[in-house]
């Protein structure tokens, strides 16, 4: 059974924890013999590796996490870790839903795990840990400010380097509105009034995937919501989402989320 960890909860040893308004800071420690099975966290969080290293697996990918590496994890992301050093210590910055949604009004919060390549963000996380250790009357204000600055750095890193053309925004909106319907590249190109090859090139440059991949991701997200909140069968959800059948849904659901729809429903149904 996949664990879904509540706010402030982490596998391994929790050394210390402090909760502020919508923000939870936690220091954790793991040993080489530890194996953290597939699990998810209720909240989005940043993880700053302070000591040791571990291999993190998420979906069909993995990365080696070393000291001073900062990663972002969206809420309910499925992942596992294998500790590869005698001791590994991390500092975790959890961001509860209200704070995350407020930040998302400025720019879409990424829904995929990622390494924060900007070193200034790791330094912000370190300042948060220092504030966590200091813990005086001003700490709540300082923690909120530093966390929002950290979120701003994350959101800024998601912005395309050049302005998204109006016609491309129209195509993205069309995909979002009609993600359950079959849409061909030719139809999208006619709607945009440009050549299909140019459409794909621009779409990938600004949204980092093809229109087809984007549409499948929307279908998977819709199916994920229905799996946890409805009593519809897997085959019904598959067809309503726009997939050919249940096996088609299962293949893409597992590719995007690293788990089958049936297993996801068993652990996330409300």
């Amino acid at each position: 059974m996949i664990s879904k960890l509540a706010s402030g909860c982490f596998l391994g040893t929790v050394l210390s924890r402090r909760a502020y308004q919508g923000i939870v800071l936690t220091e954790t420690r793991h040993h080489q013999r530890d194996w953290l099975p597939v699990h998810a966290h209720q909240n989005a969080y940043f993880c700053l590796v302070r000591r040791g290293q571990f291999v993190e697996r998420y979906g069909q990918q993995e990365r080696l996490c070393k000291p001073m590496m900062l990663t972002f994890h969206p809420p309910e992301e499925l992942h596992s870790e294998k500790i590869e050093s005698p001791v590994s210590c991390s500092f975790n910055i959890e961001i509860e839903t209200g704070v995350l949604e407020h930040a998302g009004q400025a720019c879409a919060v990424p829904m995929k795990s990622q390494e924060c390549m900007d070193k200034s963000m790791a330094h912000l996380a370190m300042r948060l840990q220092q504030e966590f250790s200091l813990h005086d009357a001003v700490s709540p204000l300082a923690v909120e400010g530093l966390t929002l600055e950290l979120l701003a750095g994350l959101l800024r890193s998601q912005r395309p380097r050049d302005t998204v053309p109006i016609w491309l925004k129209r195509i993205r909106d069309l995909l979002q509105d009609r993600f359950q319907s079959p849409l061909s590249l030719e139809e999208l190109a006619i709607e945009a009034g440009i050549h299909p090859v140019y459409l794909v090139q621009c779409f990938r440059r600004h949204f980092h995937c093809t229109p087809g991949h984007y549409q499948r991701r929307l279908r998977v997200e819709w199916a994920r919501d229905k799996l946890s909140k409805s009593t519809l069968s897997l085959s019904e959800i598959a067809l309503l989402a726009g997939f050919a059948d249940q096996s088609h849904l299962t293949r893409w659901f597992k590719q995007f989320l690293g788990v089958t729809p049936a297993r996801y429903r068993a652990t996330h149904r409300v």
Side-chain angles (χ1 to χ4, degrees):
M1 181 176 179
I2 299 174
S3 299
K4 181 179 177 181
L5 303 178
S7 184
C9 296
F10 285 84
L11 300 180
T13 303
V14 173
L15 300 175
S16 53
R17 177 194 302 116
R18 289 199 177 97
Y20 300 87
Q21 188 65 38
I23 301 162
V24 182
L25 306 181
T26 308
E27 292 180 320
T28 56
R29 181 177 63 205
H30 303 91
H31 297 279
Q32 193 165 25
R33 64 181 179 274
D34 292 342
W35 164 253
L36 282 59
V38 177
H39 62 283
H41 295 261
Q42 172 185 318
N43 297 325
Y45 72 100
F46 290 92
C47 176
L48 177 68
V49 183
R50 300 298 286 124
R51 180 182 175 189
Q53 64 181 41
F54 55 90
V55 173
E56 186 169 64
R57 297 192 178 99
Y58 54 105
Q60 296 181 332
Q61 303 178 68
E62 65 176 42
R63 60 173 159 241
L64 178 63
C65 299
K66 298 181 178 181
M68 283 302 293
M69 181 173 174
L70 180 70
T71 54
F72 172 77
H73 302 263
E76 300 191 9
E77 173 210 51
L78 297 173
H79 57 274
S80 62
E81 286 100 14
K82 181 181 179 182
I83 311 304
E84 294 202 332
S85 56
V87 176
S88 174
C89 297
S90 297
F91 178 62
N92 306 285
I93 305 150
E94 283 187 272
I95 303 165
E96 295 181 351
T97 304
V99 177
L100 199 67
E101 288 179 346
H102 180 70
Q105 292 175 10
C107 183
V109 175
M111 292 307 294
K112 292 180 68 175
S113 177
Q114 65 182 63
E115 180 182 352
C116 302
M117 304 300 291
D118 187 341
K119 296 303 180 185
S120 67
M121 293 182 65
H123 289 299
L124 278 172
M126 282 190 64
R127 288 174 59 193
L128 268 165
Q129 188 174 23
Q130 291 166 358
E131 197 61 52
F132 173 86
S133 300
L134 181 62
H135 190 55
D136 60 15
V138 184
S139 291
L141 181 62
V143 165
E144 181 182 13
L146 288 167
T147 301
L148 291 177
E149 194 173 349
L150 194 60
L151 267 176
L154 176 71
L155 297 178
R156 187 172 287 120
S157 71
Q158 304 304 303
R159 291 181 178 176
R161 296 190 178 183
D162 49 344
T163 305
V164 179
I166 293 176
W167 65 263
L168 188 55
K169 290 181 180 178
R170 190 168 72 249
I171 295 303
R172 179 197 58 193
D173 293 344
L174 178 63
L175 287 168
Q176 292 174 344
D177 293 339
R178 295 177 54 193
F179 69 89
Q180 294 154 300
S181 305
L183 290 168
S184 70
L185 184 58
E186 184 178 356
E187 287 179 273
L188 297 177
I190 291 173
E191 173 67 26
I194 51 107
H195 193 280
V197 174
Y198 183 62
L199 188 154
V200 172
Q201 290 173 341
C202 287
F203 200 96
R204 183 180 291 281
R205 183 171 73 247
H206 289 280
F207 303 124
H208 313 295
C209 64
T210 65
H213 187 89
Y214 188 84
Q215 184 182 39
R216 290 190 192 100
R217 187 171 67 203
L218 291 171
R219 289 176 175 180
V220 167
E221 288 298 324
W222 184 87
R224 180 169 75 165
D225 182 67
K226 293 301 177 184
L227 285 166
S228 62
K229 297 178 181 177
S230 79
T231 58
L232 293 170
S233 68
L234 296 183
S235 59
E236 288 175 315
I237 290 174
L239 294 176
L240 288 172
F243 292 102
D245 51 35
Q246 184 177 330
S247 63
H248 191 204
L249 164 65
T250 298
R251 182 166 70 252
W252 284 106
F253 198 95
K254 190 170 183 180
Q255 180 166 325
F256 278 103
L257 301 178
V259 66
T260 65
R263 192 174 182 190
Y264 182 88
R265 168 170 269 181
T267 55
H268 289 79
R269 175 173 273 178
V270 176

